[in-house]
Amino acid sequence: MEASRGNVQSAEQRAGMKKTKKTDKKRSKQDEEDEEEDQPFDLNSKAMEEDEDDDDLSDSEDSVYSGLEDSGSDSEKEEEEEEGGSDDADEDEQDQSEQSPVKESKKKEGAGEEKEMKKEDEYDHDTSDEEDIRNTVGNIPMEWYKDFPHVGYNLDGKKIYKPIRNKDELDDFLEKMENPDYWKTVHDKKTSSDIVLSDEQIELVNRLQRGHFGDVNFNEYEPTVEFFSKDVLIHPVTNRPADKRSFIPSLIEKEKVSKLVHAIKMGWIKPRRVEDDSKGRFYDLWASESSSILAKHKMHLPAPKIPLPGHEESYNPPPEYMFTDEERALWEQQDPSDRRLPFVPKKYPSLRQVPAFSQFIHERFERCLDLYLCPRQRKMRVNVNPEDLIPKLPKPKDLQPFPTTQSLVYRGHSGLVRSISVSPSGQWLVSGSDDGSVRLWEVCSSRCMKTVQVGGAVKSVAWNPNPSLCLVAVAVDSAVLILSPALADKQVLLSSERLLTTQQEEGPSEESQTVVWSETDGEELNQGIRLKIQHPKAVHQVTWHSKGDYLASVMPDHSSHLQVFIHQLSRRRSQNPFRRNKGLVQAVSFHPIRPYFFVATQRSVRIYNLVKQEMTKKLQANSKWISSIAVHSGGDHVICGSYDCRLSWFDLDLSTKPYKMLRYIITCTCNTAQC
């Protein structure tokens, strides 16, 4: 019984000791809180006091700056209150009643001290020792601590733990609605705390976002100070004296040179030997003849070399080198000298299955004959085939892809368009149609700039090739109209006006009775029609001379010699250059450079010299009916189109027969043109 009583008494004594310890702890905590209120700026002392009770506190209370002291202390107090029971509550009430007047007096003293510190200048004691350094991890990314429970270390080397409770979206929204300073609150990842920015800091952030400097008083446009100028200075820029090593030879270089000299004397380093060319050399006879004795001869020609094998000679050639059935049939039909390859490419699964070349001995024998029996001699005489001087025409299949996309459409004519012509600048286009209208278009935009009603079907239109003039010739029935479209600058229009306002030359002639020149008035003049040249018959074609003063017109007719007329605008006179025409004239053209006149009949083209007034050449087109003719801007080439779907290409320096006959046209050719 006594033992049991002793045990009960020891248990009661232990419970009393625990209660006294708890009350002592509570009182010590309250005293610490009061001291914190009295000394709000002494962070180091606070950290030292908490280190003493580090063994009793939880992990969340180890960090002074984690922001979780309240949450941890509240949870511990609740546990102590549950264990202590009603006796602890009574003791706490007595302690609080005793400490309440002390707390009030300490609070008043702390408020007075805070007022005194506010009055002092905050920069008087602004030193690096007093900075509020909460986390000492340095300038490192906080991502390194994402897998750890802490975010860094304080000044005492203890861990700063992360907050246990994280805000969810609902808490964040409620804080955003209730906290007026939410918009200027920034979360610090190093200390896991929220910092409210001041007005000065917000203004600094706004200035940086606008691209301005952080300092308001900084002037970025201050005048530059020219450190270096064009004037020669008496004193140097720097007054530092020259180094001593710039006057004394380098000892390291001296050692290197002495070592090299010693190595050369001992024979360790041998100089380059000069090769003696007096002795005979062995060389490959077939590799290169440049170093042989024969190569020194002026008239010596080296033997031609066999070209290196290509992909088609491989035992496994690519598919594009293999012959199709059509290519193989064509290869067999060709002459051996005309074949591109002397063999047919074949494909084998492996190199072991490649048979011997059947023509190997024959090919080697031909090669030896070429090397030994064929003489190679350099001749001073030039033997040139005329066909080699003429550029070869590309094949139509090599010109692919052909244009497949329609770019512009010039819509506006209601009838068949008979003729078109482009201005010398390439900006304007004139077209004539059977609906009795002449339309002027802008080439790049297909916009109709002007429409002129001529009162009849338009057979031909031609723009004056002289860039200093802006005139258009229009063939309507039996008349040729000179139209001024007024689509040029002022100088060009003035020069065109001077050419049209010249007086007609006096003195009647035979042609003046058949061709009548007249000026227009009224509605025709308002539309731009300035002159009208009346012919005895219907005009089918008009063409200009390169200078822009002469104009030729064609009136095909077997029964009359009046088929071609040449008109001069400056003198307003017309003449028939031919007293008798041999055949029905289809088209005429002026030579762009020389005084030549091309007259195309049904089967031939005659070239006349206008100065000598004689025929110089006759071109045979080898076609049934010539429809049109075009001369190259250089004057060396002529193209004739015919109704039998052919184009005849003539080289005037080569022959009177066509150089090439192009038969790729499906329908008949009514008109041709050259660039």
Side-chain angles (χ1 to χ4, degrees):
M1 293 295 289
E2 293 177 356
S4 62
R5 288 178 182 177
N7 294 333
V8 170
Q9 290 178 359
S10 63
E12 290 177 355
Q13 289 176 359
R14 290 175 186 173
M17 291 294 290
K18 287 182 179 179
K19 289 181 182 180
T20 54
K21 286 182 180 179
K22 289 179 182 179
T23 54
D24 294 339
K25 283 184 179 180
K26 289 180 182 180
R27 289 175 182 175
S28 63
K29 287 181 181 179
Q30 289 177 359
D31 296 338
E32 288 175 1
E33 290 177 358
D34 295 338
E35 289 176 2
E36 287 178 0
E37 290 177 357
D38 296 340
Q39 298 177 358
F41 298 102
D42 193 0
L43 300 177
N44 296 329
S45 62
K46 183 179 179 180
M48 293 296 293
E49 290 173 2
E50 287 185 356
D51 290 339
E52 295 175 358
D53 299 331
D54 184 70
D55 298 331
D56 298 332
L57 296 178
S58 62
D59 293 340
S60 62
E61 294 180 4
D62 288 348
S63 174
V64 182
Y65 308 106
S66 61
L68 299 177
E69 293 85 3
D70 297 338
S71 61
S73 62
D74 292 341
S75 60
E76 289 184 356
K77 286 179 181 179
E78 290 175 1
E79 293 176 358
E80 292 173 356
E81 288 176 0
E82 290 177 359
E83 293 177 358
S86 59
D87 297 336
D88 296 339
D90 296 338
E91 292 177 359
D92 293 339
E93 288 177 359
Q94 293 177 2
D95 295 338
Q96 289 178 1
S97 61
E98 292 175 0
Q99 293 177 1
S100 59
V102 178
K103 286 184 179 179
E104 290 177 359
S105 61
K106 288 183 178 180
K107 286 181 181 179
K108 290 180 181 180
E109 293 175 0
E113 291 178 0
E114 287 179 0
K115 289 181 181 180
E116 291 178 358
M117 291 191 69
K118 287 182 180 178
K119 291 180 182 179
E120 295 180 358
D121 190 2
E122 58 181 352
Y123 294 106
D124 289 342
H125 304 286
D126 188 12
T127 61
S128 59
D129 297 333
E130 297 178 359
E131 290 181 359
D132 189 8
I133 302 175
R134 302 191 177 192
N135 197 346
T136 60
V137 294
N139 189 13
I140 62 170
M142 289 291 105
E143 297 177 358
W144 296 0
Y145 290 94
K146 67 179 181 180
D147 296 332
F148 295 93
H150 60 284
V151 293
Y153 302 90
N154 58 7
L155 291 174
D156 298 329
K158 295 190 177 183
K159 297 180 181 179
I160 301 176
Y161 288 92
K162 296 179 182 178
I164 298 175
R165 300 171 186 173
N166 294 326
K167 293 182 181 179
D168 56 1
E169 294 184 0
L170 182 59
D171 295 339
D172 192 11
F173 177 75
L174 293 175
E175 185 179 359
K176 182 178 180 181
M177 294 293 103
E178 296 174 357
N179 187 6
D181 296 334
Y182 179 82
W183 65 276
K184 56 181 180 179
T185 303
V186 181
H187 181 74
D188 188 4
K189 293 183 179 180
K190 288 189 176 182
T191 59
S192 297
S193 61
D194 295 337
I195 300 173
V196 180
L197 300 179
S198 61
D199 295 339
E200 293 80 5
Q201 293 173 342
I202 294 173
E203 180 63 25
L204 177 61
V205 172
N206 292 334
R207 287 183 59 82
L208 295 177
Q209 288 180 347
R210 290 195 299 268
H212 298 167
F213 288 92
D215 189 1
V216 181
N217 301 324
F218 180 75
N219 184 13
E220 55 181 323
Y221 301 105
E222 290 183 356
T224 59
V225 179
E226 297 292 341
F227 187 75
F228 295 99
S229 62
K230 62 181 180 179
D231 300 333
V232 180
L233 302 179
I234 301 174
H235 301 285
V237 178
T238 60
N239 201 16
R240 183 175 62 84
D243 296 331
K244 185 178 179 180
R245 61 176 176 269
S246 60
F247 302 99
I248 301 175
S250 176
L251 297 177
I252 299 174
E253 293 180 357
K254 182 180 179 181
E255 291 179 2
K256 288 183 178 180
V257 172
S258 61
K259 288 181 180 180
L260 292 175
V261 171
H262 179 66
I264 293 173
K265 288 181 179 179
M266 298 299 293
W268 300 334
I269 299 177
K270 296 181 180 180
R272 296 178 182 177
R273 295 181 180 179
V274 179
E275 297 181 358
D276 188 8
D277 295 334
S278 61
K279 298 180 180 180
R281 293 185 180 181
F282 297 98
Y283 56 90
D284 189 358
L285 179 63
W286 308 110
S288 176
E289 297 184 6
S290 59
S291 60
S292 63
I293 300 173
L294 295 175
K296 299 179 181 179
H297 198 274
K298 294 183 179 179
M299 301 301 292
H300 173 70
L301 289 177
K305 297 181 180 298
I306 298 177
L308 297 175
H311 294 288
E312 62 272 0
E313 299 185 30
S314 173
Y315 75 94
N316 188 15
E320 57 267 18
Y321 290 96
M322 301 296 294
F323 282 1
T324 60
D325 296 339
E326 297 177 357
E327 292 176 349
R328 187 181 182 88
L330 181 62
W331 183 84
E332 292 176 352
Q333 293 176 3
Q334 288 179 345
D335 189 78
S337 60
D338 297 337
R339 292 173 180 172
R340 186 175 63 87
L341 295 175
F343 60 92
V344 178
K346 295 182 180 180
K347 190 172 185 178
Y348 299 95
S350 63
L351 189 60
R352 291 177 177 269
Q353 300 181 7
V354 178
F357 184 41
S358 59
Q359 301 292 330
F360 176 75
I361 297 176
H362 178 73
E363 187 179 280
R364 294 295 96 185
F365 181 71
E366 293 291 336
R367 172 67 176 169
C368 293
L369 292 179
D370 293 340
L371 292 176
Y372 288 99
L373 301 181
C374 295
R376 299 189 300 274
Q377 184 179 3
R378 185 173 298 173
K379 296 181 180 180
M380 301 304 294
R381 185 179 60 183
V382 180
N383 295 329
V384 180
N385 188 5
E387 295 182 356
D388 297 340
L389 300 176
I390 301 173
K392 295 182 180 180
L393 287 176
K395 296 180 181 180
K397 63 179 181 180
D398 297 335
L399 298 175
Q400 291 179 350
F402 299 111
T404 57
T405 304
Q406 180 178 283
S407 177
L408 295 173
V409 179
Y410 302 86
R411 301 185 185 277
H413 287 291
S414 59
L416 181 64
V417 178
R418 294 285 184 180
S419 179
I420 60 172
S421 181
V422 184
S423 64
S425 62
Q427 184 180 2
W428 312 107
L429 173 71
V430 60
S431 61
S433 174
D434 287 345
D435 58 359
S437 65
V438 175
R439 291 180 178 268
L440 299 166
W441 312 83
E442 188 177 18
V443 174
C444 60
S445 63
S446 70
R447 180 179 59 174
C448 183
M449 305 299 297
K450 191 175 183 181
T451 303
V452 180
Q453 298 293 335
V454 294
V458 179
K459 297 294 183 182
S460 177
V461 293
W463 205 296
N464 196 318
N466 191 352
S468 61
L469 298 175
C470 185
L471 297 174
V472 177
V474 182
V476 181
D477 296 335
S478 61
V480 175
L481 305 179
I482 306 300
L483 180 65
S484 179
L487 295 175
D489 55 0
K490 190 174 181 180
Q491 296 294 334
V492 176
L493 295 179
L494 290 176
S495 60
S496 303
E497 190 69 19
R498 285 195 298 268
L499 182 64
L500 295 174
T501 55
T502 56
Q503 296 296 328
Q504 185 175 1
E505 185 175 321
E506 298 181 357
S509 60
E510 183 178 354
E511 286 77 15
S512 63
Q513 297 177 1
T514 56
V515 178
V516 180
W517 291 68
S518 61
E519 295 183 357
T520 59
D521 54 359
E523 183 65 21
E524 294 181 348
L525 184 61
N526 294 334
Q527 290 184 355
I529 302 174
R530 303 300 304 275
L531 292 176
K532 181 184 290 186
I533 307 173
Q534 191 67 35
H535 292 70
K537 299 175 184 179
V539 180
H540 284 203
Q541 184 208 4
V542 289
T543 182
W544 288 92
H545 189 265
S546 59
K547 293 183 179 180
D549 191 20
Y550 292 92
L551 174 70
S553 58
V554 179
M555 299 171 292
D557 190 7
H558 280 290
S559 60
S560 176
H561 65 282
L562 301 175
Q563 297 189 40
V564 179
F565 277 96
I566 298 178
H567 313 283
Q568 187 178 7
L569 290 182
S570 60
R571 298 184 180 180
R572 293 192 184 182
R573 68 174 184 178
S574 305
Q575 61 178 349
N576 181 14
F578 309 107
R579 297 296 178 184
R580 185 180 61 180
N581 292 317
K582 298 180 181 180
L584 185 64
V585 179
Q586 299 296 321
V588 296
S589 179
F590 289 95
H591 195 280
I593 301 173
R594 301 174 184 176
Y596 291 158
F597 189 67
F598 297 84
V599 179
T601 57
Q602 290 182 352
R603 293 182 178 273
S604 62
V605 178
R606 291 181 174 88
I607 304 175
Y608 293 92
N609 192 330
L610 297 178
V611 177
K612 297 180 180 180
Q613 296 183 1
E614 61 180 11
M615 187 180 70
T616 59
K617 192 177 292 186
K618 183 179 180 180
L619 306 178
Q620 297 295 336
N622 296 335
S623 57
K624 296 180 180 179
W625 197 300
I626 296 176
S627 61
S628 58
I629 184 175
V631 185
H632 192 263
S633 58
D636 297 330
H637 299 274
V638 178
I639 289 181
C640 294
S642 61
Y643 291 109
D644 54 354
C645 306
R646 293 185 181 182
L647 276 176
S648 301
W649 183 357
F650 294 92
D651 190 349
L652 299 181
D653 297 333
L654 182 61
S655 175
T656 58
K657 294 182 180 180
Y659 163 65
K660 286 287 184 181
M661 292 293 295
L662 306 179
R663 301 180 183 180
Y664 305 108
I665 303 171
I666 300 175
T667 59
C668 62
T669 305
C670 298
N671 197 359
T672 58
Q674 285 195 0
C675 297

